Amino acid sequence: MKPFYATGILLLLLTSVCSAQDAPQAAPQDALVKITRSGSQPPEIGIPDYYAGTVRKEALFDADEPSRVVGGVVTYEPGSRTAWHIHPLGQVLIISAGVGLVQQWGQPVQEVREGDIIWIPAGVKHWHGATDNSRMRHVAITEALDGKSVEWLEKVDQQDG
């Protein structure tokens, strides 16, 4: 197992534990372990209102009550990126391939590489995507608040990144 996968699993577990503070301590007796087989979720192309360039999204898991944690893998072709957006309860990105960029509103653009882990605090306006000459893939772990995990804002100006 590669170190960043182990780190990602640890972060997922910590995120689940931390987000479920008000959840029951024990699962119902009829609860079942759920396995989602690799490749069983068809990828979707990112909606042009929220992404520039070619972006493929693959859902990994959705939150089942009382959990609020959702996860997916997003692959950005060179030069593609998200629009500005915020997450009501924050987000963790684990860069699993390539070289990318991330920018918080009012801060400089930062380069990220395979193995890097990015924590985006709740309510922080930001964008992320690939560099002009490299693909970038990340695992995204996000908590939903009242069923909503993201608020999309305006597209990124060329001068922003």
Side-chain angles (χ1 to χ4, degrees):
M1 182 179 295
K2 292 187 177 181
F4 63 87
Y5 284 121
T7 303
I9 291 168
L10 177 61
L11 282 172
L12 174 60
L13 292 171
L14 289 173
T15 303
S16 297
V17 169
C18 292
S19 68
Q21 292 174 2
D22 55 348
Q25 294 300 312
Q29 291 300 314
D30 60 347
L32 299 174
V33 171
K34 180 179 175 182
I35 298 172
T36 304
R37 300 291 178 197
S38 178
S40 67
Q41 305 287 358
E44 298 177 0
I45 300 298
I47 299 170
D49 288 348
Y50 308 141
Y51 299 92
T54 303
V55 177
R56 288 182 309 283
K57 303 181 333 170
E58 302 169 58
L60 292 177
F61 57 89
D62 288 321
D64 289 329
E65 291 291 333
S67 176
R68 300 182 297 199
V69 180
V70 297
V73 173
V74 184
T75 303
Y76 300 82
E77 292 300 319
S80 61
R81 62 183 60 166
T82 68
W84 289 101
H85 61 285
I86 61 173
H87 301 282
L89 295 175
Q91 181 180 53
V92 174
L93 300 177
I94 303 165
I95 309 303
S96 59
V99 181
L101 303 171
V102 63
Q103 183 179 22
Q104 178 177 335
W105 185 261
Q107 300 295 317
V109 175
Q110 296 185 67
E111 187 174 279
V112 292
R113 299 181 167 276
E114 182 176 335
D116 289 350
I117 300 169
I118 301 130
W119 165 245
I120 300 156
V124 169
K125 185 175 179 178
H126 68 286
W127 66 266
H128 37 90
T131 63
D132 286 340
N133 47 13
S134 176
R135 279 185 180 164
M136 189 270 287
R137 180 181 302 127
H138 67 62
V139 175
I141 303 169
T142 310
E143 280 191 272
L145 180 62
D146 299 323
K148 188 173 181 181
S149 61
V150 64
E151 179 182 344
W152 291 104
L153 305 168
E154 70 273 15
K155 290 200 172 197
V156 177
D157 284 337
Q158 291 295 353
Q159 64 192 21
D160 290 331

